[in-house]
């Protein structure tokens, strides 16, 4: 029969998260690879989901999403960002941010169109672009003054006559960078000068640290009309398994995404939608407490990684910290990630897998800190053994 998988998907094997999580399970290592919290979201929100199920809210909800959630999303955008989106026509509920991104790319990009992404990028972007038959152009985020940022000239150079869209993820996974207003102004200028659509992945919108503010690209002058703004309950409310996300955009862009979305999944699961509508209204104080707790976890893991000998790039948001492995005498993050369970009983993610130019991310390892303190402490204790191991020149 030969290789059954179509050519355009062949570069995408099993995701690195599945591979590394399997390695953690097989070896009994602590999993600081995949970014899921090991504690639950707000209790009342969980009860709302259970009540929705018991109350018979179990049949197909409307395609765009249940009205309660669309209204809650619209109110949340208005309250937090001063952005007005009509719950009827400008809000679309999706099966997580992942489906929102894929539906937007499939709906807006013709085969051969180009999509600009910032590398290292969240892995589903590349797959979504490939499914559309489009072509990605990666702009590399490089370390400058302790954070990852981009060179405006490289962004401009990445845009060509076939460029249709730019995918912007801030707060950014896997680097932890939160784009500043000045950086977003560069993106906004390029979008407007070159007539591009911005697809923004803002799933970590509420998880920023040290008082750093998340600025949605759509709030910049001239950007609301060309931005597909994507969020998700998974990260904000620590329910990554609920897969409930949403798109906010002008009606023609939402209609385009919905045309595709209705044949991917038709609609998102009903019970979670009611629970998330409740949470967006009533649990933002819980989110604020969660943000503070995560900031403390970032500091805890960062200090531990520094003590273990890693070069640490302190993130301004998200669940993740990037480390430079060279101070420990290692050079290749992929090789170290494979050996880390045996060397130290910990699993991390080699950042180079998120690049089109892997050499540029070869010396980085990503660790997740959205874990209980005792898990972080045990991981750090184990990682401190690394300094004592032979320093192979890998
Ligand atoms: C977790 C994550 C997603 C996926 O969100 P879901 O709502 O689970 O689909 C998308 N983008 C980034 C950057 C993420 O970290």
């Amino acid at each position: 029969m030969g290789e059954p998988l179509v050519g355009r998907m062949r570069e995408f094997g099993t995701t690195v998260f599945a591979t590394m999580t399997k390695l953690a399970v097989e070896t009994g290592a602590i999993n600081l690879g995949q970014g899921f919290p090991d504690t639950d979201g707000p209790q009342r929100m969980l009860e709302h989901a259970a009540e929705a199920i018991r109350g018979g809210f179990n049949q197909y909800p409307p395609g765009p999403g249940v009205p309660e959630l669309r209204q809650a999303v619209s109110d949340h955008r208005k309250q937090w960002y001063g952005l007005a989106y009509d719950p009827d026509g400008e809000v679309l509920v999706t099966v997580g941010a992942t489906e929102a991104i894929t539906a937007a790319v499939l709906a807006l990009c013709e085969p051969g169109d180009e999509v600009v992404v910032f590398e290292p990028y969240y892995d589903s972007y590349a797959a979504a672009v490939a499914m559309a038959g489009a072509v990605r152009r990666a702009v590399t985020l490089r370390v400058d003054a302790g954070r990852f940022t981009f060179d405006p000239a490289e962004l401009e150079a990445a845009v060509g006559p076939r460029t249709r869209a730019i995918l912007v993820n801030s707060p950014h996974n896997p680097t932890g960078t939160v784009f500043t207003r000045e950086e977003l102004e560069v993106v906004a200028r390029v979008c407007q000068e070159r007539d591009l659509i911005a697809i923004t992945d803002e799933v970590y919108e509420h998880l920023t640290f040290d008082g750093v503010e998340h600025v949605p690209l759509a709030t910049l002058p001239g950007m609301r009309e060309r931005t597909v703004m994507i969020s998700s309950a998974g990260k904000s409310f620590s329910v990554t398994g609920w897969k409930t996300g949403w798109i906010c955009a002008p009606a023609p862009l939402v209609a385009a995404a919905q045309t595709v979305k209705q044949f991917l999944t038709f609609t998102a699961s009903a019970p979670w939608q009611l629970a998330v509508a409740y949470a967006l209204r009533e649990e933002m104080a819980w989110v604020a407490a969660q943000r503070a707790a995560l900031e403390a976890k970032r500091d805890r893991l960062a200090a531990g990684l520094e003590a273990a000998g890693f070069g640490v790039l302190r993130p301004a948001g998200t669940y993740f910290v990037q480390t430079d492995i060279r101070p420990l005498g290692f050079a290749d993050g992929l090789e170290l990630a494979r050996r880390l369970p045996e060397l130290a009983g910990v699993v991390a993610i080699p950042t180079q897998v998120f690049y089109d130019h892997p050499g540029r991310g070869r010396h980085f390892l990503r660790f997740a800190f959205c874990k209980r303190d005792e898990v972080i402490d045990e991981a750090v204790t184990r990682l401190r053994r690394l300094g004592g191991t032979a320093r192979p020149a890998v």
Side-chain angles (χ1 to χ4, degrees):
M1 183 170 151
E3 166 62 61
L5 182 63
V6 293
R8 66 182 179 280
M9 294 304 290
R10 264 182 222 159
E11 70 171 291
F12 308 102
T14 310
T15 79
V16 64
F17 306 109
T19 307
M20 297 313 290
T21 293
K22 184 159 172 275
L23 192 60
V25 171
E26 281 166 7
T27 60
I30 295 177
N31 188 357
L32 299 188
Q34 202 169 12
F36 60 90
D38 58 2
T39 51
D40 254 335
Q43 195 58 38
R44 278 296 301 145
M45 179 187 75
L46 307 182
E47 284 160 17
H48 269 265
E51 283 160 18
I53 292 170
R54 278 195 297 268
F57 201 71
N58 300 308
Q59 307 309 326
Y60 291 131
V66 304
E68 290 89 336
L69 179 53
R70 284 185 280 123
Q71 186 67 54
V73 165
S74 172
D75 293 346
H76 174 274
R77 303 284 100 168
K78 183 93 202 148
Q79 188 188 339
W80 284 82
Y81 306 125
L83 288 168
Y85 289 100
D86 185 346
D88 297 316
E90 293 189 318
V91 178
L92 173 65
V93 177
T94 56
V95 182
T98 308
E99 189 198 32
I101 293 159
T102 303
V105 170
L106 286 172
L108 300 171
C109 299
E110 296 283 3
D113 280 355
E114 294 178 8
V115 178
V116 172
V117 296
F118 292 96
E119 71 175 359
Y121 49 74
Y122 186 66
D123 61 348
S124 86
Y125 301 173
V129 170
M131 283 187 246
V135 178
R136 63 182 185 270
R137 291 274 174 254
V139 174
T140 306
L141 297 175
R142 293 194 171 82
V143 176
D144 180 31
R147 65 189 280 281
F148 287 78
T149 185
F150 63 93
D151 177 348
E154 283 186 36
L155 175 59
E156 283 176 31
V159 177
R162 292 295 316 255
T163 308
R164 172 69 167 152
I166 171 163
L167 251 160
V168 184
N169 172 214
S170 181
H172 183 264
N173 174 10
T175 66
T177 281
V178 180
F179 282 152
T180 62
R181 188 173 292 277
E182 292 66 37
E183 287 165 335
L184 291 168
E185 279 167 357
V186 171
V187 175
R189 179 174 55 73
V190 170
C191 286
Q192 291 174 57
E193 283 175 4
R194 313 298 287 272
D195 196 21
L196 310 181
I197 294 169
I199 301 170
T200 63
D201 176 346
E202 305 182 34
V203 301
Y204 296 101
E205 62 192 313
H206 293 299
L207 304 182
T208 61
F209 312 131
D210 311 319
V212 169
E213 185 202 1
H214 166 62
V215 179
L217 188 62
T219 61
L220 271 58
M223 287 309 291
R224 183 195 180 280
E225 65 203 65
R226 58 175 69 245
T227 300
V228 177
M229 183 185 197
I230 294 169
S231 289
S232 168
K235 307 290 163 50
S236 292
F237 299 109
S238 293
V239 282
T240 59
W242 281 18
K243 300 297 297 185
T244 302
W246 49 89
I247 288 174
C248 294
L253 292 171
V254 164
Q258 197 186 335
T259 301
V260 171
K261 184 259 182 313
Q262 64 191 337
F263 299 114
L264 294 175
T265 55
F266 177 54
T267 184
S269 297
W272 324 126
Q273 292 195 45
L274 284 187
V276 172
Y278 156 80
L280 282 172
R281 294 196 185 289
E282 306 292 343
E283 296 290 359
M284 293 313 292
W286 183 93
V287 175
Q290 180 70 2
R291 175 217 295 248
L294 264 176
E295 184 172 322
K297 288 176 189 301
R298 174 203 61 176
D299 293 341
R300 198 177 192 99
L301 182 59
L305 290 168
E306 264 159 19
F310 289 91
V312 173
L313 292 145
R314 205 164 274 247
T318 76
Y319 285 165
F320 308 107
V321 58
Q322 285 292 336
T323 59
D324 186 336
I325 61 175
R326 290 172 299 186
L328 279 162
F330 296 100
D332 184 353
L334 188 57
E335 185 163 344
L336 180 57
R338 289 205 184 103
R339 293 181 56 203
L340 205 57
E342 153 222 336
L343 291 175
V346 173
V347 160
I349 299 288
T351 310
Q352 63 186 268
V353 302
F354 305 121
Y355 287 78
D356 288 350
H357 310 88
R360 297 178 185 172
R362 191 158 175 261
H363 52 283
F364 296 122
L365 265 192
R366 189 195 82 173
F367 292 88
F369 51 80
C370 49
K371 308 291 176 185
R372 284 171 289 124
D373 287 349
E374 54 270 33
V375 174
I376 293 174
D377 290 347
E378 175 59 22
V380 165
T381 303
R382 295 182 183 191
L383 286 165
R384 290 183 78 141
R385 288 181 215 144
L386 263 185
T389 58
R391 298 189 169 187
V394 291

